[in-house]
Amino acid sequence: MRNGRRIGFGDLAADAAKESVPERRGPETQGPEGFPLPFGKGEVSIVDLRDITVGTARYGADVRLPGMKCAVIARPPVTGGKLVSFDAAEP
């Protein structure tokens, strides 16, 4: 029932059935001139591709600085587990 605040799905479906189907169009595309970098030509190289491929690439998450603190979210090993104790003094 329409009361200005709520409308049932059936009312929406009935109204939608009265609408005409929009014309089918393909995706809008742009030519190569619309892209800032060349693609498909092998002109843009990935300088650390070998490191990524062999697993030696260094990422931001891999960086450890002197005195840097790291945090983790510890979760119990079972679903629904509860914290039994916590010692804030332990590093």
Side-chain angles (χ1 to χ4, degrees):
M1 185 163 100
R2 295 180 187 200
N3 61 12
R5 295 185 61 155
R6 292 183 180 201
I7 186 168
F9 180 79
D11 292 324
L12 289 174
D15 289 345
K18 296 175 190 171
E19 296 291 322
S20 61
V21 177
E23 181 182 329
R24 185 175 180 175
R25 297 185 332 199
E28 295 179 13
T29 60
Q30 60 184 358
E33 65 279 351
F35 294 95
L37 296 173
F39 61 95
K41 306 277 190 218
E43 297 174 24
V44 177
S45 63
I46 301 174
V47 296
D48 57 347
L49 181 59
R50 183 184 183 287
D51 293 340
I52 292 170
T53 305
V54 298
T56 59
R58 191 163 181 189
Y59 299 93
D62 300 328
V63 175
R64 298 288 182 257
L65 301 174
M68 182 173 165
K69 304 277 186 195
C70 294
V72 297
I73 298 174
R75 292 190 169 88
V78 295
T79 303
K82 303 291 181 196
L83 182 67
V84 175
S85 65
F86 172 73
D87 184 358
E90 275 193 43

